[in-house]
Amino acid sequence: MLNKLLSSFHKKAGLSPKETRKFISAMNTAVATLDPQHVKQLLQPHGKWLKQSYYDFYSECLKEFKFYTENTYPTTIEAVTLFDTQCIFCELGCRVQGFQVLYKETHEHGMQVVRSDQLGIVYKMTEGRLTDLQWCHKFLSEDEINDIKRIDLAT
């Protein structure tokens, strides 16, 4: 009885499966801009049903993106690509949306250094509906995922 009640509440308060897919796609696009205002604009209409996740996710977003805007050296984002990965810590094996960030730092005397970084988001879902989202800091790299796929294909 309680499960049915909670399920119907989520259907009214949250996103439908179709809306969930659109939201995730839009969030991936917003995160790829590395602009916290884009993320905030997307989160604001959903603050009521996301509740604490909204504030936690956004405040963590500010920390995650701060590096690129307040780096010691002038930084230029070269590319942000998405990859599918898995959590290796808190939600062992859960799906994580990975973001590979390729950026260039300009050091003294014009020397440029190309670096990369990775970000990850866990989209928690029930019956195809988004129920929560959070940043993930312990996930497999894109190379590790590709190694696992090669091993799976070989067996």
Side-chain angles (χ1 to χ4, degrees):
M1 178 73 174
L2 181 60
N3 286 340
K4 280 187 178 182
L5 189 61
L6 288 173
S7 178
S8 68
F9 172 75
H10 274 298
K11 288 177 184 174
K12 291 176 186 170
L15 301 173
S16 70
K18 184 178 180 180
E19 292 168 328
T20 291
R21 288 188 297 275
K22 287 181 182 178
F23 178 86
I24 289 173
S25 176
M27 181 58 72
N28 289 344
T29 300
V31 169
T33 68
L34 299 175
D35 183 341
Q37 291 307 311
H38 291 153
V39 173
K40 185 177 184 179
Q41 288 172 350
L42 187 58
L43 286 173
Q44 278 181 326
H46 307 288
K48 285 184 179 180
W49 67 269
L50 278 173
K51 295 182 179 130
Q52 192 61 35
S53 296
Y54 166 83
Y55 301 104
D56 292 344
F57 189 82
Y58 183 66
S59 64
E60 189 70 22
C61 174
L62 292 172
K63 292 176 194 170
E64 294 285 347
F65 295 176
K66 187 176 186 177
F67 171 80
Y68 305 105
T69 58
E70 297 181 17
N71 193 346
T72 305
Y73 303 104
T75 303
T76 305
I77 304 301
E78 297 292 312
V80 179
T81 55
L82 279 70
F83 66 98
D84 291 327
T85 184
Q86 294 178 341
C87 182
I88 59 172
F89 187 62
C90 61
E91 299 278 340
L92 193 60
C94 78
R95 184 179 172 274
V96 174
Q97 180 61 68
F99 298 83
Q100 179 77 31
V101 181
L102 186 66
Y103 61 98
K104 189 184 303 180
E105 294 175 338
T106 304
H107 292 249
E108 296 172 1
H109 309 295
M111 182 178 80
Q112 294 186 329
V113 179
V114 178
R115 300 184 188 271
S116 69
D117 193 14
Q118 296 183 342
L119 306 170
I121 299 175
V122 175
Y123 294 107
K124 293 186 178 185
M125 298 196 296
T126 302
E127 298 174 4
R129 296 171 184 276
L130 183 67
T131 57
D132 196 9
L133 73 160
Q134 63 190 39
W135 291 95
C136 180
H137 300 284
K138 301 290 182 192
F139 55 92
L140 297 172
S141 71
E142 189 171 13
D143 289 339
E144 291 168 323
I145 288 292
N146 289 334
D147 288 345
I148 290 170
K149 288 178 183 176
R150 279 193 289 275
I151 291 169
D152 286 345
L153 288 173
T155 56

